[in-house]
Amino acid sequence: RKEVEQDPGPFNVPEGATVAFNCTYSNSASQSFFWYRQDCRKEPKLLMSVYSSGNEDGRFTAQLNRASQYISLLIRDSKLSDSATYLCVVNPSNTGKLIFGQGTTLQVKP
Amino acid sequence: GAGVSQSPSNKVTEKGKDVELRCDPISGHTALYWYRQRLGQGLEFLIYFQGNSAPDKSGLPSDRFSAERTGESVSTLTIQRTQQEDSAVYLCASSLAGLAANEQYFGPGTRLTVT
């Protein structure tokens, strides 16, 4: 079993749609969680951290369920510029070593 | 300010040759990481440096891979006797400290092609 699993997609949605991505992780002792965004042939960039109580940043909402070892990202009112690969990232220990999922590709169409 | 820089941006090498990839982290960042990303795949952790502590080499795939870091500055990743399966983008990242919550900033990567 992979340490971090994501549905690779692609998710093809129209502008304005709401889309949700899910991710599961295998290490129950994992310390911290993130969503990174990666544009085609570019480096990953942090989108948002994921907190236990859930957190929101504009159109983006992240949720964490430690009991189910499940992380989600919700994007509301999708924009063309949201088209990218979204990487679920887990820190399994109290160091900076990150474990990346393979990513979920989102394509927002006009 | 300046971000993480990597060189070269592209490298084509023949099977069996050695290659050296360079990373310049953000000034003041004590932690530095190397990852590998094969085509269509997620990032694989390779090695992690934190200050003067012994590096975490747990992700290095074989003894052909090694990395060094001089103090809290430049790092080099060396791949000896390259194989075709080493073809990938090698990404370097740095953060303020090697703590769980610190954001990692990535460089643009070195695209390695082994022919």
Side-chain angles (χ1 to χ4, degrees), chain A residues 33-108:
Chain A
F33 311 88
F34 310 89
W35 284 100
Y36 274 70
R37 171 191 168 132
Q38 187 172 28
D39 291 285
C40 188
R41 300 178 75 88
K42 297 285 190 181
E43 70 272 22
K45 293 185 178 178
L46 180 67
L47 178 66
M48 58 196 301
S49 299
V50 185
Y51 302 118
S52 296
S53 55
N55 49 297
E56 188 174 305
D57 182 1
R59 298 181 292 108
F60 299 84
T61 301
Q63 298 277 354
L64 168 64
N65 183 325
R66 285 188 184 270
S68 302
Q69 294 175 213
Y70 171 95
I71 307 161
S72 66
L73 176 68
L74 183 77
I75 305 175
R76 291 182 299 278
D77 189 22
S78 300
K79 310 290 185 191
L80 295 176
S81 57
D82 293 335
S83 298
T85 296
Y86 291 83
L87 304 169
C88 177
V89 184
V90 173
N91 187 314
S93 61
N94 195 30
T95 69
K97 177 180 172 179
L98 298 180
I99 306 298
F100 285 76
Q102 71 173 96
T104 299
T105 299
L106 171 67
Q107 185 68 43
V108 181

Side-chain angles (χ1 to χ4, degrees), chain B residues 15-37:
Chain B
K15 178 181 171 181
K17 295 283 178 70
D18 297 352
V19 296
E20 192 172 277
L21 312 180
R22 177 186 169 110
C23 172
D24 283 90
I26 294 172
S27 177
H29 281 193
T30 60
L32 185 148
Y33 315 82
W34 284 98
Y35 296 88
R36 175 171 73 177
Q37 187 172 30

